[in-house]
Amino acid sequence: MAALVGAQYYWIEHGHPVALLGYIAVLEGNAPAPGLAGLLARETGLPPAAFETVRLHADLDDGHSADLDRLIERLPLDAAQRSLVAVSALHTVASLAELFDRITAAPTEWESTDD
């Protein structure tokens, strides 16, 4: 999570706040499947409460991506800002994939890592 969210803080502070739109676009445009929270709880052995945000996001997130797409299209972004939004989005996808890989690994594998 630190790698996922920490990059956003860095880009907001040292690049431009518009970077956050890439992160948001990925999250809003790819809502979790309704059963994902339960599946993650079963596969990891963690309590369902650990995945409450995933469950809520699946239940509540319908149609937000179209609104966000329209907003981004209307913003007067220069080439560097568009690139920063894209880099943020790509980083978010990669970080989420790694995060889900780690939490679905055998508990002894993710509990014993030092990072």
Side-chain angles (χ1 to χ4, degrees), residues 35-47 51 100-108 110:
L36 180 61
L39 175 66
L40 290 171
R42 285 189 303 278
E43 292 292 320
T44 63
L46 294 170
F51 302 100
F100 282 116
D101 282 347
R102 290 188 67 175
I103 62 175
T104 57
T108 55
W110 58 263

Side-chain angles (χ1 to χ4, degrees), residues 70-92:
R70 284 190 294 276
L71 169 68
I72 292 172
E73 288 173 12
R74 287 194 318 259
L75 290 174
L77 302 178
D78 62 28
Q81 291 166 335
R82 283 192 305 276
S83 178
L84 187 54
V85 171
V87 167
S88 172
L90 292 171
H91 171 78
T92 300

